[in-house]
Structures are given as structure tokens and as C-alpha cells.
Amino acid sequence: MRLLCMLLALCYLLPVQAATSSVFDYDIKHWTSANGLASNSVRTITQDQQGYLWFGTLYGLHRFDGQQFEIFTTETHPQLASNAITQLLTDKEGRIWVGTKAGLSVFHPQQWQFQRLPLYNEVTSLLELDNGEIWVAADQLFSVSQGQVKRVEHIKAVVSQLTYFQQQLWVAAAEYLYQRTPEGEWLQHALPTELMQTPLYDLSGTDEGLFLASESGLYRLTEQGVRAQALPDGSVAPVYQVLQDAHGATWISAYRKLFYRFGQEHWQTVTLEELGSSPWFSALYQDQQQHLWLSSFSDGVFRASLAQIRRLLPGHEPVVRSLGLTPQGQLLIAAQTELGILDKAGFYRQLLAEEALQAQTVHDMFWPDGQTLWLAMERGLYQLDEEQARLLPVFPQLQGQTVRAILPDQQGQIWIAALQGLYQVIDGELHFSELNQQLESRQITTLNRNERQLLLGTSRGLYRWQNNRLSRQGSGTALYNAYILAALLLPDDTMLVSTLDDGIFIMLPGQSWQHLHGGNGLVHGPAVSFYYHQHSGWIWVSTHKGIFRLQRASLEAARTEGYRLEEILSPFDRQMGSLSSRCCNGAGAAKVVYWQQQLWYPTLKGVVSVPELPAVSALPEPRPHLKSVNAQHFYPVAATQRSVVLEQYERNMQLNFTALEFDRPESLVFRYKLEGFDQDWQVSPLRREAVYTNLPPGNFEFLLQVKYRHQQWQDAAQTQLQLVIPRRFDETLLYRLLWLLLFISTLYGLFWLYRQNALLKQEQLARLVQQRTQELENSNQRLNVLNEQLQQLTHRDSLTGLRNSRFLSEQLPKDIEHFQRNIDSLQQQGKIIALLVLQADGLDQLLATHGKGLADSLLQHFSAVLSRETRGSDYVVRLDDGRFVVVFREILQQQVGPYSRRLLDLLSGSDLALGDGSPLTLSVSGAYAWYPLPLLGGSLLSWEFSLQLASLALRQLQQHGRVARVASLQFASQLDAFEFEETADLEQQVNRLQAEGLIWLKTE
């Protein structure tokens, strides 16, 4: 993780047009013991013919598929020479040679077995020659051919490293570097004295020659012999390996440093200070897909792969909110605390500093002409004065309110979306649009248009302006009242609309609305921006967690074939940072810009650029692999194996499977089916095993499919395996016929005895059954009566006979569920659920003065009036000693206040007599709250929250000694439910918002 953060931080410094020639262009992934490694000390790496990665550690051999580590140790495989693995090699036949500190073993994948070879020294190097012979450096030099180990007699000195370079074999010994020419001639080069006395870790060749990596530093074979060579930073430190990869880049792993150079460019250094830790890279390995793997002495294993998606931080502020293009073709970047321009050469120039922005967010950018820039901001519309580096208000009417979007039309008018409604600029003058009168919500969130129509997204639905007529869209769908995040209007009038909670709605010309949601292909949550590239036909969609695109031409067949999405950036792409929610979080309308054949997105960590045609956008097709079948015996499944025959008595089994995916293994989804046993597919999003028990004998076919989460199952790759379970003798037809014959004979011999006994007991049994049945029915009736009585007692207050709080906690959620099912029709009628909390004033003083008897009489009188005067569909609940709550189910919103005042008048107008005969006038106060609350997203809050707000309003009414008897808390229109969603102290939050004028107490 620290290496990743360092690579990202340095990636910010790259110019826009820089070629992929930097170590910081690599996407880094990291695995440690927390991910399943038995040890963080990884010494060597290889890859087998199936694509699995094998890691040698000090505590065993590991096979890795991108998700799981399989560990091989001497405890599970005694033929493994030692758990301390030093060298690995995959030969041409697919065998894996395992060098350890105690000798050499070879793993045969087809048989899933290790073979111990008679070699018992520490293996420091392995090499396969063209003839298939394996050479081993283990103090002495050995060769292995056809399972026979022989010593190479030509070199009698201690040998440490081997390599094959320039069609020649090279052997590093104690005092000499030996060279075997293609003709078989042996040459030798003397080693420097200091190199003879230190360990030699690697012998490898690059375009610059043969290098020797040792504890005393880096050496190179020159015409003058083996000479010491300083590291690229001029230092001298232990060097562990030199590698030239398939891209032409050279890597040098040194003590707490990593050096990189592409071609003949300058060396780049990754040091301890930049890493934040000290993972010394013990081995560098390039796999079959040309990804680089780096094993560490102390910090696990890393994987580096070239990435085209880049993140830049041109200015000083990482939080970027909006992007735009200048008339001169430069990228305008609005960050949280500054505004600047990035030119085509990658140079950044600041236009406004933090003081000039005044802590405002830029939501949109617009150029009325080539020299004037308007900025839509949180407190109005401003014009940039570049010479004075300041902002000038454009229209005084917009001061103080948020401006979300600016959009010109073909008639020369300018549409402005603001918090308080829609405005039009006609001939330089600002007008409050007449369309506002037809909008249910004047909070405009987005604008989009083509030549024939205009789309207006609001916090309460989508509207279309066409032929001088405004119409609301999505009637009968969730789009009708949805919060609109983004809208796209294509040239052929196809509409795409993103909502906050209900996915994406798509309408093709002349058709009804389609709905793209999480159940039929939508990935990463709500979309925040759309971009349509007309030449390629791709529609790009960005979210807070990633980027995907879909082809415009595929929308016609989406209803029958599903949506065909292509994921460009997912939460599993670690180059984008450790938090999946930090992708594309732009504000207002300026969330995406197309510039220099790339799409640019604002994020909380700079800007992200994605190539229009990313080479890595098409994910490699995952191939399912069946690893093994575990029954009472272990059956490994080889790559070419198509069937497994179990023993006769094996009926319980576990099939282990996987798919090789090292980029985003978490995004793979498997499903399997055992033909002949399973009726349907079994989906396995997390587990990579299938368990079956009590299988019958027969021939079965196990089908396994794998896909990425965003793909359809018709795109999944599949493999199959035949499973044969032989029949036991007791499962054959002959065995069953013998048992049937024996059973019939026994039955015939006993039948006449059974018949006589049955006739004698039948009548007695019938009478006994009738008697027991009647007794059971009587007991059940008494039990039902008692249960009904107990049910009544548990839901009623013993003093007043009213419902208690337990009844409220059980009944009110049912009422709310009924309300939610009919929410559209009820809200059109103006009906809501209301909670009225009532409390008799001065009850504690009466209790202290006249005793508990009078207080109980008052409460009983209180409950009698409430029970008599409330509507039949409503109910009254006693919360505690002096508080009652009346639940109005499906009441008109405007009737809540009058009805509450009427109840209070009836209660307060009742005259009671004290014990001495003197009259007592009852004083009652009340407060109510609605459900759902009149907030943006109010249905996110529970009814308990509404009850707390009503109780809080009642307490404020009593504390301030108001004359009015009914109160409620009112909310500002811009206040939304997220202000309270995670509030720990509600009263403190309400007091804070009251102080800000966003909540006030209304009395009636």
C-alpha cells in the first residue's frame, strides 16, 4: 500500500504528453501474510504452463491464482526437500524444479507429486539447457537428465550462479566466471578479490552486457574483465538482481532501493524514503503476460503492470471539483482552493488563489465570448477578472444562491440552473423563467439539450422543454419523483437520465423508458456524468467508484439481450487509490471533459485521464480451472484431464476450482452445475469450491462458468469435468431383487397373523382415537382463548386501557410499510402519517400535592377523551406516565394542525373536581411530526426519528412557555435527510440547525 501511494504521488508530476517510460506509470498490487502468504520473506518466483504463479518462501512453496495461496510444506508433502525455498524453475515439460536449503525436489503437476532427488546442498541457481537438461548450482555444479543427478566435472570449484546469455552458458564460481561457447569450449574470467569474498546473488545479461549482483555491489563483464560498477545514484550497496524486461526497461534491485530505466533514458530511483518501508526485492520475474513480479525479503510480493489510466495533480490542491475547456483548447481546472489552466505541454498556470475563490465550489464554466469566463458557484454567478485575479458578480439577482449549470441554446439565450429556479439570459438581461411555475421542485440539478429539445433535471423529477411546451417525464416509473444527477440527450433524441437511488433510465425515440439498475448490469452505483463520443458511438458513464461505457447501438436489443457494458475502471484498480469512492466526484455540470483524445474526470485526488480507446479496457477473458476433487481420496485435476473416476464407496466430494485473475480477482463470479443432480445453476460469488453429499452412482458432468461481475452470463467462459461414481454390489438390480424376494416371503408368512390382530384391535383403536382427539380439541380451544387474552394484555396499558409502546413498535412499522407500498397515490392525495405527542401540564405538581390517586384519575380521563375523539382509523398509545401519542394513519397534511388543536381544546376544556370539591381545569400541550419528514430524501429516516422530533418540539414549547398548545419543527427546503442520518445527538444537531435558520419551531 505504501509503495502504491508513493507511485501515485510521483505520477502526479508527469507532464500530460509524457510517454510510458517511467516506473511511476506502473499499477502496483501487493500481497503479504495478511492475504494468505505463510511468510513475508519471498525468495523466488516462477509461473507454470497453466498460468499459476509459484512463490518460494522460507516457510513453504505457494501456488497463487490471484485470490488464494495454496501452501506446500514438508508436513503435507514429505518429498519436498525443505520448507526454505531458494530457487524455482519451470521446464519445457511443465515440471517445477524446487531448490531449497536442503537440496532439490521436482514437482510433477500431472501426478500432483513431488520427487526428491539425491542432492542435499543448498540450491542457489537453476537453469534449463536447450536439450532439456537441468543444471543446478548447489555448492558444486550438477546436471539432471532423465531423473539422474550427475556432477559436472569440468568445474570443481564452489559454484553460486548460472545464466544463459548470448547463446552461451555462464557459470559464476568462487574465483572465476566460466564461459562455455556454442562450440563447447570453456573460457574463464578472473573475479575481483572483493567479489570472491562476498555472496553472489544473480548473474544476468542485458543489452549492456553481463551483470553480477553481489553483496559488495554491482559488477559487469567488460573487455578488461569483471569490473565494479556504481549504482545509478552513485552509491555502492548490495545488489540482488538485474532484469531487462520485454518492454526494454532495465530493473536493478538493491538494498532498500529499486532502480528503473526505459531504453536509454535517465535512471529513476525508488528509495526507502519514498517507499515508506524497506521491502528489499530478492527476485524480479516477468510472467507470460509481461507483468513484473517483485519478491521481497520482508514485505511479501508485489506486481507491477503498465497502466494507461493516469492521475495528475497539476496544482497544489488535490480536491478537483470541475473541469472545462478554454476557447484556446486548454484544460481549465477548478479545484477546491484554486483555479488554473493546464496547457497541452503539461504546464500548469494558476488563475485564482484560495483567497479569491472565497471557499466556493465551481459547479460549471461558460464562455459568453472568447475572452470572458463565467463561473457558476455556490453563492452566485461570477465573471473572472484575470488581470486582477478576482471574481466579479454578473447578475445581482443570483447573489447568495447556488448556480449549478449554464447552457446556451441556438436562439442566443442562456439557461441558468440555480437553487431557487431556472433563469434565462435574453439580450444580456436576466429573467426568472416562467417555466418555474410548472416545476414541482425549483431546485435545478442538471441541464442538457440538442437542436430540438431541452432537458431539465430537478430534485423531484425530469422535465422536457420542446415546442414551447414543458412536460414531466417518467410517469408511472420511479423516474417521476427521482432526484436527477445527470442527463444526456443524444442527437437522435435518445435520453439517458441518472438518478440518485433508482439507477439509469433510457428512452429511445418512440419507445417507453428502459431501466438500467444493479439487477441487470449497472455497476458501481449511481452515475454522476455522461459523455457521448459521436464518432465511436460509445456512451461513457462515470460514478464515484469507477467508469464504464456502453455502445449506443446496443440499446435497441437491451430489453432482450441485456445491457452490454464494458468496465474501464473499477474499485479494484489500485492505481486509483485505496478508496473505491474516490473516482469521479465532480460538482455541478462540469464532471467530464474530452481533451487530447482522452476523457478527463475531476476527483478528490487530482484529475484522471482515460484514453478514448484504452488498450486495457477489454479485460482478459477469465478461464475457469478445476483444481482437484476431494473425496476420501484426493484427485488432482490436470489441465488436459476431462474425467475423474471415484471409488465405489465415495459419495461425498468437494470440487475446488478457480480462475487466474491477478488484476481484480474480487470481481470474478462463478456458477456451477452438476448435470444429472442439480436442477439449476449454483452461483458462488465468494467461495471457490462446490460441495456435494450423498451422491447416487452414475455418470455426471460438472459444469463451471466464470465471468466478471459486470458481464452477462452468456459471456461467461466454461469448462467441464466428467465424474464417474461406480455402483456398489448393494446398488445393483440383482441385489435388490434378492432382498425383494426375501421381503415378500416374510410378508406372506406374517400376513395372516397381522390380519387377525388388526381386526381385533381396530374397533378399540378407533374409540381411543376419537376420545384422544376430542380431548386434544378441547385443550386447543382453551389454549387459544388464553393466548388471545395474553396477546391483549401485552399490547395494552393496565391503567388507561390504551395501547402501549410495545404495540406502537409492532404496529407502526406495518402502517409505514403499507404507506410505502401506496406512496405514489397517497402523496398525490396529499396524505401522510402523523405522530402527535400530548402531555398534561403540571402533572408532577398535582402528583406531589394531591397524591397518585388524582393523577391516575386524570390520566384515565385523558385516555377516555382521546379514545372517544380520535378517528376510527387512528389509535392512541400511552408512552409513559404523562405522555400520549396519537398515530394518524393516512391523514391529509393540512388537517394535522387543525385536528391536533381540536383534540387539545377538548382535553383542556374538561373540568375536573379535586378531592375537596374544588374545580380543576386540565392544561394540555402537544407537538406533532410527519412521516416521511418534509426533507430531501426524508424516507431514509425512521419513524423513531419523527417521534423524537415531535417530543423535542413539545419540550421546546413547554420550556419557552408559549401560549400556543400545538407545535412542530419546520425545515428549510434545501435541508436533506443526510444531515441527520448519522447524528448521534439529535437535540444538539437540531439546535445547531435552528441557530443557522434551517429549522424553526412553528406554533399553532
Side-chain angles (χ1 to χ4, degrees):
M1 178 63 68
R2 294 174 178 171
L3 178 60
L4 169 66
C5 296
M6 177 277 302
L7 295 181
L8 287 174
L10 291 181
C11 183
Y12 294 155
L13 305 178
L14 296 177
V16 177
Q17 299 288 357
T20 305
S21 59
S22 170
V23 67
F24 308 117
D25 288 338
Y26 283 81
D27 177 25
I28 299 296
K29 298 186 184 301
H30 185 201
W31 294 271
T32 65
S33 58
N35 306 108
L37 277 171
S39 169
N40 282 331
S41 181
V42 183
R43 299 303 178 92
T44 179
I45 306 173
T46 191
Q47 187 175 27
D48 63 20
Q49 292 180 342
Q50 287 185 271
Y52 289 96
L53 267 297
W54 294 74
F55 303 130
T57 73
L58 294 182
Y59 295 97
L61 180 64
H62 297 63
R63 187 175 79 157
F64 185 49
D65 61 6
Q67 179 75 13
Q68 298 174 335
F69 291 93
E70 294 179 75
I71 304 176
F72 303 81
T73 63
T74 56
E75 288 75 16
T76 58
H77 297 81
Q79 291 299 312
L80 181 62
S82 169
N83 288 334
I85 313 299
T86 58
Q87 292 292 321
L88 292 174
L89 173 69
T90 302
D91 64 16
K92 299 175 182 178
E93 297 181 5
R95 298 172 298 183
I96 298 177
W97 298 79
V98 185
T100 72
K101 288 191 175 182
L104 181 66
S105 296
V106 59
F107 179 73
H108 301 272
Q110 299 293 335
Q111 294 78 29
W112 202 257
Q113 292 179 350
F114 284 91
Q115 176 187 356
R116 179 70 187 270
L117 298 178
L119 197 156
Y120 305 101
N121 298 326
E122 179 180 356
V123 177
T124 57
S125 186
L126 293 169
L127 181 67
E128 181 182 17
L129 303 185
D130 293 336
N131 59 4
E133 191 176 19
I134 305 297
W135 281 35
V136 185
D139 286 345
Q140 305 298 317
L141 183 59
F142 300 89
S143 66
V144 183
S145 178
Q146 298 180 353
Q148 300 297 318
V149 180
K150 298 180 181 179
R151 182 175 175 181
V152 180
E153 298 295 339
H154 183 82
I155 301 177
K156 301 183 182 300
V158 175
V159 175
S160 58
Q161 295 297 325
L162 309 170
T163 192
Y164 197 75
F165 177 61
Q166 294 181 347
Q167 305 299 318
Q168 300 179 80
L169 176 66
W170 300 81
V171 180
E175 298 181 355
Y176 294 95
L177 176 65
Y178 292 89
Q179 173 186 3
R180 191 180 76 171
T181 65
E183 294 77 19
E185 180 184 0
W186 285 92
L187 306 176
Q188 62 184 29
H189 308 271
L191 297 179
T193 304
E194 63 274 15
L195 196 57
M196 300 179 188
Q197 302 171 356
T198 59
L200 189 65
Y201 299 119
D202 183 47
L203 185 64
S204 57
T206 70
D207 292 341
E208 297 184 6
L210 186 67
F211 287 89
L212 294 83
S214 72
E215 183 68 25
S216 60
L218 183 65
Y219 291 81
R220 185 165 68 94
L221 178 63
T222 65
E223 294 181 355
Q224 293 76 30
V226 179
R227 297 291 183 266
Q229 181 168 328
L231 293 175
D233 61 353
S235 64
V236 177
V239 178
Y240 304 106
Q241 189 170 351
V242 179
L243 173 70
Q244 185 174 27
D245 63 24
H247 302 292
T250 303
W251 304 75
I252 300 178
S253 170
Y255 177 72
R256 297 189 177 184
K257 296 178 183 179
L258 179 66
F259 299 97
Y260 170 88
R261 183 172 70 175
F262 182 79
Q264 299 301 316
E265 297 180 0
H266 296 293
W267 284 97
Q268 302 177 50
T269 306
V270 181
T271 63
L272 171 63
E273 290 76 12
E274 294 164 334
L275 291 174
S277 62
S278 55
W280 318 345
F281 296 119
S282 56
L284 308 176
Y285 180 81
Q286 193 166 29
D287 64 16
Q288 299 165 3
Q289 291 74 35
Q290 300 182 356
H291 301 298
L292 186 69
W293 294 81
L294 305 93
S295 63
S296 166
F297 283 103
S298 60
D299 205 13
V301 63
F302 296 80
R303 178 177 180 266
S305 56
L306 286 172
Q308 291 189 340
I309 299 175
R310 302 174 56 213
R311 185 188 294 271
L312 294 91
L313 179 62
H316 301 88
E317 170 60 53
V319 179
V320 178
R321 293 300 188 185
S322 301
L323 298 174
L325 288 180
T326 68
Q328 294 76 30
Q330 298 173 324
L331 186 64
L332 184 63
I333 301 175
Q336 190 71 23
T337 58
E338 65 178 337
L339 179 71
I341 288 180
L342 184 69
D343 63 19
K344 298 179 180 179
F347 296 101
Y348 178 78
R349 175 170 60 92
Q350 188 185 77
L351 298 179
L352 287 179
E354 181 177 3
E355 298 78 11
L357 282 178
Q358 302 175 359
Q360 295 192 77
T361 298
V362 177
H363 293 274
D364 202 358
M365 309 167 185
F366 176 67
W367 280 262
D369 54 60
Q371 303 298 324
T372 306
L373 172 60
W374 287 1
L375 299 176
M377 306 184 73
E378 287 184 337
R379 294 192 293 273
L381 183 65
Y382 293 85
Q383 177 178 325
L384 173 65
D385 184 353
E386 187 172 352
E387 294 182 359
Q388 300 295 327
R390 60 177 182 172
L391 294 174
L392 303 175
V394 179
F395 298 109
Q397 302 95 311
L398 297 176
Q399 288 298 105
Q401 62 172 310
T402 301
V403 179
R404 293 278 181 87
I406 310 172
L407 184 68
D409 62 16
Q410 293 183 336
Q411 288 74 34
Q413 301 179 15
I414 301 174
W415 299 80
I416 299 178
L419 183 63
Q420 299 179 5
L422 185 66
Y423 294 82
Q424 291 176 269
V425 179
I426 303 175
D427 297 331
E429 295 185 1
L430 184 68
H431 300 273
F432 191 67
S433 176
E434 297 179 354
L435 300 180
N436 291 300
Q437 300 177 2
Q438 305 178 48
L439 301 177
E440 181 177 346
S441 172
R442 295 184 180 181
Q443 185 177 350
I444 312 299
T445 58
T446 184
L447 295 174
N448 199 270
R449 70 168 181 84
N450 62 10
E451 297 178 354
R452 293 171 295 280
Q453 52 186 312
L454 170 71
L455 292 183
L456 290 81
T458 73
S459 60
R460 294 284 292 176
L462 177 74
Y463 294 82
R464 178 169 62 180
W465 172 253
Q466 186 178 24
N467 299 327
N468 295 324
R469 179 176 175 269
L470 185 67
S471 59
R472 192 168 182 176
Q473 302 297 301
S475 177
T477 69
L479 175 63
Y480 191 78
N481 287 312
Y483 189 104
I484 307 302
L485 293 177
L488 177 64
L489 189 57
L490 301 186
D492 63 351
D493 292 341
T494 296
M495 290 186 286
L496 288 91
V497 183
S498 172
T499 64
L500 180 63
D501 299 312
D502 300 295
I504 297 176
F505 291 85
I506 304 171
M507 176 183 279
L508 301 177
Q511 299 185 20
S512 60
W513 286 99
Q514 302 178 26
H515 191 191
L516 174 60
H517 50 81
N520 62 0
L522 181 63
V523 292
H524 310 327
V528 296
S529 79
F530 294 110
Y531 177 80
Y532 176 58
H533 194 264
Q534 191 168 358
H535 296 293
S536 64
W538 285 107
I539 300 172
W540 291 72
V541 184
S542 70
T543 72
H544 287 303
K545 296 184 179 181
I547 301 171
F548 65 92
R549 63 180 185 175
L550 66 155
Q551 183 61 242
R552 164 63 184 85
S554 67
L555 296 181
E556 281 78 2
R559 295 183 186 272
T560 56
E561 299 179 4
Y563 292 91
R564 310 301 289 266
L565 306 179
E566 182 177 349
E567 192 173 30
I568 302 298
L569 181 66
S570 79
F572 307 114
D573 293 318
R574 295 277 300 280
Q575 188 191 18
M576 299 307 300
S578 60
L579 297 177
S580 60
S581 60
R582 291 190 174 181
C583 175
C584 313
N585 53 277
K591 301 184 182 75
V592 57
V593 166
Y594 181 74
W595 184 50
Q596 294 185 334
Q597 289 78 49
Q598 300 179 82
L599 282 86
W600 298 75
Y601 294 94
T603 77
L604 297 182
K605 285 187 176 181
V607 294
V608 166
S609 66
V610 183
E612 175 193 355
L613 299 174
V616 296
S617 63
L619 296 173
E621 182 180 358
R623 294 292 181 183
H625 292 271
L626 287 165
K627 298 162 61 176
S628 63
V629 178
N630 294 345
Q632 294 187 17
H633 291 81
F634 178 76
Y635 301 91
V637 180
T640 58
Q641 189 173 350
R642 291 294 175 263
S643 65
V644 171
V645 180
L646 280 69
E647 298 291 339
Q648 292 180 342
Y649 52 83
E650 292 180 319
R651 301 303 168 87
N652 302 329
M653 70 178 67
Q654 174 181 306
L655 295 98
N656 298 311
F657 51 82
T658 189
L660 302 182
E661 171 54 67
F662 302 102
D663 287 313
R664 50 188 73 169
E666 303 91 342
S667 65
L668 292 180
V669 180
F670 296 85
R671 72 173 183 177
Y672 57 85
K673 182 179 182 182
L674 187 62
E675 288 283 359
F677 186 80
D678 288 330
Q679 297 296 324
D680 300 312
W681 288 93
Q682 308 294 321
V683 179
S684 178
L686 298 177
R687 299 180 59 184
R688 299 191 175 189
E689 59 185 26
V691 178
Y692 291 95
T693 59
N694 299 323
L695 288 173
N699 295 337
F700 304 93
E701 185 175 30
F702 182 75
L703 304 179
L704 175 66
Q705 293 183 351
V706 63
K707 71 176 185 69
Y708 291 102
R709 292 183 185 273
H710 66 276
Q711 292 178 328
Q712 303 295 325
W713 280 114
Q714 57 262 35
D715 300 326
Q718 178 174 303
T719 188
Q720 56 273 341
L721 178 69
Q722 295 291 332
L723 294 172
V724 180
I725 303 179
R727 295 180 182 273
R728 302 188 301 266
F729 174 70
D730 59 338
E731 294 173 331
T732 61
L733 181 60
L734 176 60
Y735 179 84
R736 295 176 180 178
L737 288 175
L738 291 174
W739 272 106
L740 180 60
L741 180 60
L742 178 61
F743 175 74
I744 293 175
S745 300
T746 304
L747 183 62
Y748 180 79
L750 298 175
F751 177 73
W752 67 275
L753 293 174
Y754 170 77
R755 182 63 177 172
Q756 292 298 322
N757 186 60
L759 292 174
L760 292 174
K761 294 183 178 180
Q762 183 175 4
E763 184 177 355
Q764 181 182 359
L765 180 61
R767 289 196 301 268
L768 181 61
V769 169
Q770 183 178 6
Q771 179 184 354
R772 298 300 186 191
T773 302
Q774 185 62 40
E775 292 176 356
L776 181 60
E777 290 179 354
N778 295 336
S779 299
N780 287 337
Q781 289 178 359
R782 291 194 297 271
L783 182 60
N784 291 335
V785 172
L786 293 175
N787 284 337
E788 291 178 0
Q789 294 175 355
L790 180 61
Q791 182 72 13
Q792 292 295 328
L793 291 175
T794 57
H795 288 88
R796 290 195 178 272
D797 178 61
S798 60
L799 176 63
T800 63
L802 295 177
R803 307 290 189 176
N804 56 21
S805 58
R806 178 176 178 179
F807 174 83
L808 179 67
S809 62
E810 293 179 3
Q811 180 62 33
L812 188 52
K814 299 177 182 177
D815 297 336
I816 291 177
E817 181 180 358
H818 173 75
F819 183 88
Q820 293 289 353
R821 288 197 300 267
N822 304 277
I823 188 170
D824 291 335
S825 62
L826 291 175
Q827 287 187 345
Q828 288 178 0
Q829 300 172 32
K831 291 185 178 182
I832 59 170
I833 294 177
L835 305 175
L836 172 63
V837 179
L838 303 173
Q839 186 173 17
D841 300 330
L843 185 61
D844 294 336
Q845 183 178 358
L846 291 175
L847 179 63
T849 305
H850 301 284
K852 187 174 184 298
L854 177 62
D856 291 344
S857 298
L858 291 176
L859 293 176
Q860 291 171 352
H861 173 74
F862 196 91
S863 62
V865 175
L866 288 175
S867 299
R868 184 181 69 249
E869 296 299 329
T870 53
R871 304 183 314 169
S873 62
D874 305 328
Y875 52 89
V876 183
V877 177
R878 182 185 177 191
L879 291 179
D880 49 32
D881 288 339
R883 289 197 310 156
F884 296 77
V885 59
V886 181
V887 179
F888 298 105
R889 298 190 290 186
E890 301 178 7
I891 187 172
L892 292 175
Q893 179 175 331
Q894 61 269 24
Q895 290 182 359
V896 176
Y899 199 93
S900 301
R901 291 196 303 273
R902 177 178 172 272
L903 283 179
L904 290 175
D905 291 338
L906 291 173
L907 292 171
S908 299
S910 302
D911 293 332
L912 303 176
L914 298 176
D916 56 359
S918 58
L920 171 65
T921 300
L922 187 64
S923 175
V924 183
S925 301
Y928 63 86
W930 304 336
Y931 183 89
L933 290 169
L935 296 168
L936 300 179
S939 59
L940 298 176
L941 302 177
S942 65
W943 64 268
E944 291 93 344
F945 191 88
S946 298
L947 185 59
Q948 294 179 43
L949 287 178
S951 300
L952 181 58
L954 177 59
R955 187 161 58 252
Q956 291 186 5
L957 177 65
Q958 294 174 338
Q959 289 174 353
H960 296 296
R962 301 289 178 91
V963 178
R965 291 179 180 154
V966 181
S968 63
L969 290 174
Q970 302 295 311
F971 306 90
S973 60
Q974 69 270 29
L975 197 62
D976 59 35
F978 295 105
E979 291 283 347
F980 306 94
E981 191 176 13
E982 297 181 358
T983 300
D985 189 341
L986 174 63
E987 184 173 357
Q988 181 179 353
Q989 176 73 347
V990 169
N991 291 336
R992 181 181 68 81
L993 295 174
Q994 283 182 316
E996 297 175 0
L998 298 177
I999 295 179
W1000 60 89
L1001 185 68
K1002 176 185 177 183
T1003 59
E1004 301 178 38

